[in-house]
Amino acid sequence: GGFDAFADEEWEREVKKDLEKKKKALEQTASGPRSLSPQEKEELNQQTQRREELSRVICGDFPRTLAAIRSLCESDIEIGNACLPVFGTAVVGTVVSSCSAMMLPDLQNDAFDTLATLASCVYEIEETHAHTLARALAISFQSNVETTKTGDEDSDNKKVL
């Protein structure tokens, strides 16, 4: 009987320890979320600042830049034609970009409209065909981007030209 009593006592102690651990864990959970350390607060503030900076660029600066390009091109055919070599590659690159920000419909539309406006500035192209030319450029360059990707899927090393 002595061995069974010892085993029972040992089992009882283990059960009490487990219950105490569970009780402490429950109390910590019930007390609400833990507070952030100063280092975690600083990191959170830096992340918040970075998000705000990116938001300003994506939702403010970038659309204004595209609008400025369209305004230049629409102001005069000669100015627009002079803008082609300056902005053409960047605008086509924007239209075919796989950047997550370019998944926003407004940015996609702005970029494509800017490309179509640039296409309308080509002297040899009828303005009525600018939209079709812009679409053809986008399709052509998109195919080129897909075929010139490097072997690393996470890489942003793509040729646009």
Side-chain angles (χ1 to χ4, degrees):
F3 181 72
D4 287 336
F6 178 74
D8 287 343
E9 286 176 20
E10 185 64 31
W11 177 80
E12 200 172 309
R13 270 189 243 122
E14 289 297 321
V15 169
K16 284 182 182 179
K17 283 182 187 177
D18 287 344
L19 286 174
E20 285 179 36
K21 285 181 186 177
K22 288 179 183 178
K23 187 176 179 183
K24 285 182 183 177
L26 187 60
E27 286 173 359
Q28 287 177 349
T29 312
S31 67
R34 69 174 181 83
S35 61
L36 298 175
S37 71
Q39 183 181 2
E40 290 171 324
K41 287 179 183 178
E42 178 61 28
E43 187 176 338
L44 184 61
N45 286 337
Q46 289 174 353
Q47 290 172 353
T48 300
Q49 278 183 311
R50 184 68 177 149
R51 264 192 305 277
E52 289 171 356
E53 289 171 6
L54 290 172
S55 180
R56 276 193 300 273
V57 169
I58 292 169
C59 297
D61 297 346
F62 186 66
R64 279 195 300 274
T65 301
L66 293 174
I69 294 169
R70 286 192 304 272
S71 293
L72 277 171
C73 292
E74 291 169 346
S75 66
D76 182 73
I77 187 75
E78 289 181 19
I79 293 173
N81 193 268
C83 288
L84 287 171
V86 176
F87 300 121
T89 302
V91 173
V92 170
T94 299
V95 170
V96 299
S97 175
S98 61
C99 171
S100 297
M102 290 308 297
M103 299 305 145
L104 298 170
D106 289 344
L107 288 182
Q108 286 177 347
N109 293 336
D110 276 354
F112 186 81
D113 290 346
T114 304
L115 182 59
T117 302
L118 274 171
S120 72
C121 295
V122 177
Y123 288 134
E124 295 80 14
I125 304 293
E126 285 290 321
E127 199 170 319
T128 56
H129 300 295
H131 193 270
T132 305
L133 176 62
R135 182 162 308 288
L137 279 169
I139 291 169
S140 171
F141 276 83
Q142 183 65 44
S143 297
N144 194 18
V145 166
E146 289 172 1
T147 58
T148 59
K149 283 185 182 176
T150 62
D152 182 10
E153 287 298 315
D154 295 329
S155 175
D156 286 334
N157 298 327
K158 300 174 189 167
K159 285 186 180 178
V160 177
L161 292 178

